[in-house]
Amino acid sequence: MQPILQTKIFVAKCINALRGLFRNGRVSFIRTIWLNFRILPFRQAIHLPIYIRGKVIFRTTNRGKLIIDAPIKRGIINIGGYGGSAPTSIYTEFDLTDGTLTLRQNTLIRSGCKFLVFNGGSVDIGADCKILNNVCISAETSVVIEHDCRLTHEVQIFDTSFHFMVSDDGIVRRNCSPIRIGHHSWLANRVTISKGVTLPPFTIVGQNTLITKTPNIEEGCIIAGNPPHIIHKGIRRIYSFREECFLKNYFAQHPEEMIYKYSTIPPHIYDYD
C-alpha cells in the first residue's frame, strides 16, 4: 500500500473517531486522545477504544501496563463521569507502576475510582462490568472480577493487608492472597472484600458488609452483615432493563399486589439489553 494512501486512511479514521466524540458532549476530547495514545499501541490507539469523561491520573512504567482483551472499537471502555455520588471534578486514578490492568468491552469505571496494582499484581475485569463512583481496588497478587458484575459506590477490594504482623510466638503470615468475584455478582454500597475471598456467581452482598474469608455459599445467595450471613438462597438479580420496566409497570398498575409470580422464568431476564 502506498504511503500516501496509508496516510489518508489514518486521517479518515481519526476524523471519524473525532466525529463520534463530538456527538457526545460529555467526552473529554483532549484527555481521550492523550490517554489512548499514551498507554496503548498505536494500532489500537487510533481507534480510541477508551473514552474519558472526567479527570484521570494515570501512572505507569515499563513494568506496568493496561491491556484491552477485546475487539478494538471506538468507546468500548468508558472512564469517569458522574454516577450519582461523586462530581466529575473528582479524579479517577490508575497506579500501574508495577502491575497489569486488563479491561474488556462495555466496561464502565466512574469518577473517583482508584486502582493500585503493584509488585507484579494484576486486576482482571470481565466484559460488561460497571464500577461506580469511589470504588477502590488494590492488587499485589490477583483480583479477578468476572463478567457482568456490578460494584456500587465506595466498594473496597484489597487482596493485601499491605503490612506484615507477627504474633507473640513469632509467627508471620502471608499478607496477600488472590480474590475472585464470580460473574453476575452485585456488591452494594461500601462493601469491603479482603484478601483470599472467592464469591460464587450471582452473589449479592448487602451494603456495609465486610467479607474477610470465603463464605460457605452456593450460587444465587444474598449475604449481609458483619460477619456476613445468608439472607436468602436461590435468588438472582434481574438484569434485563425491559423486564424491569415491565415489573415497574405491573406494580404501578396493581398497587395492592406485593409479589409477581412467573409461571416460567424467562431466561433473558439475566441478560443485559
Side-chain angles (χ1 to χ4, degrees):
M1 188 179 293
Q2 297 179 356
I4 295 177
L5 182 57
Q6 288 180 323
T7 302
K8 288 183 178 179
I9 293 174
F10 168 69
V11 172
K13 287 182 177 179
C14 290
I15 291 173
N16 288 333
L18 289 173
R19 284 175 178 171
L21 287 174
F22 277 104
R23 282 195 292 268
N24 188 337
R26 294 186 177 183
V27 174
S28 175
F29 315 123
I30 295 176
R31 292 185 183 118
T32 292
I33 295 170
W34 167 79
L35 185 66
N36 279 274
F37 281 92
R38 181 189 172 198
I39 65 175
L40 296 177
F42 180 80
R43 290 182 178 273
Q44 293 184 356
I46 60 174
H47 297 284
L48 302 181
I50 302 175
Y51 279 2
I52 303 300
R53 301 173 184 272
K55 297 181 179 180
V56 173
I57 297 175
F58 199 97
R59 305 182 187 92
T60 187
T61 65
N62 58 0
R63 295 181 298 176
K65 57 185 176 180
L66 185 148
I67 298 173
I68 299 179
D69 184 13
I72 301 300
K73 298 179 182 179
R74 187 169 65 244
I76 59 173
I77 296 166
N78 283 265
I79 297 176
Y82 180 71
S85 69
T88 54
S89 60
I90 300 297
Y91 283 92
T92 305
E93 298 185 35
F94 298 85
D95 191 335
L96 310 179
T97 51
D98 187 13
T100 302
L101 172 63
T102 301
L103 302 176
R104 292 175 176 81
Q105 67 270 20
N106 301 327
T107 296
L108 172 65
I109 300 172
R110 289 294 193 189
S111 61
C113 292
K114 293 179 172 58
F115 290 79
L116 173 62
V117 192
F118 60 104
N119 286 350
S122 65
V123 173
D124 189 316
I125 298 177
D128 297 290
C129 283
K130 302 294 183 285
I131 300 176
L132 300 188
N133 301 104
N134 302 322
V135 169
C136 184
I137 299 176
S138 294
E140 188 174 358
T141 56
S142 170
V143 172
V144 177
I145 301 170
E146 297 180 359
H147 62 89
D148 293 290
C149 285
R150 294 295 183 265
L151 277 59
T152 60
H153 308 289
E154 298 182 2
V155 165
Q156 299 183 103
I157 299 177
F158 301 134
D159 76 346
T160 176
S161 55
F162 297 98
H163 305 286
F164 290 101
M165 294 176 286
V166 58
S167 65
D168 291 339
D169 53 2
I171 295 176
V172 177
R173 300 186 183 279
R174 183 185 294 274
N175 71 337
C176 56
S177 186
I179 291 173
R180 177 176 287 270
I181 309 297
H183 63 81
H184 288 91
S185 290
W186 177 19
L187 310 186
N189 299 347
R190 301 184 182 89
V191 166
T192 298
I193 307 292
S194 296
K195 63 182 185 292
V197 169
T198 296
L199 296 180
F202 292 97
T203 298
I204 300 173
V205 184
Q207 63 184 13
N208 295 310
T209 298
L210 169 63
I211 304 179
T212 58
K213 61 181 180 180
T214 298
N216 183 22
I217 59 174
E218 301 176 351
E219 289 188 16
C221 285
I222 300 177
I223 60 173
N226 293 304
H229 58 278
I230 296 175
I231 303 297
H232 205 299
K233 293 183 179 180
I235 190 167
R236 300 182 180 187
R237 176 181 167 178
I238 294 175
Y239 288 94
S240 168
F241 179 73
R242 288 179 298 171
E243 199 67 22
E244 285 202 327
C245 290
F246 164 76
L247 292 169
K248 284 182 180 292
N249 289 333
Y250 173 83
F251 285 112
Q253 295 170 10
H254 302 82
E256 73 286 355
E257 295 290 343
M258 297 302 294
I259 64 171
Y260 175 84
K261 179 76 165 60
Y262 287 106
S263 56
T264 301
I265 298 178
H268 73 270
I269 68 174
Y270 303 130
D271 298 325
Y272 295 101
D273 48 30

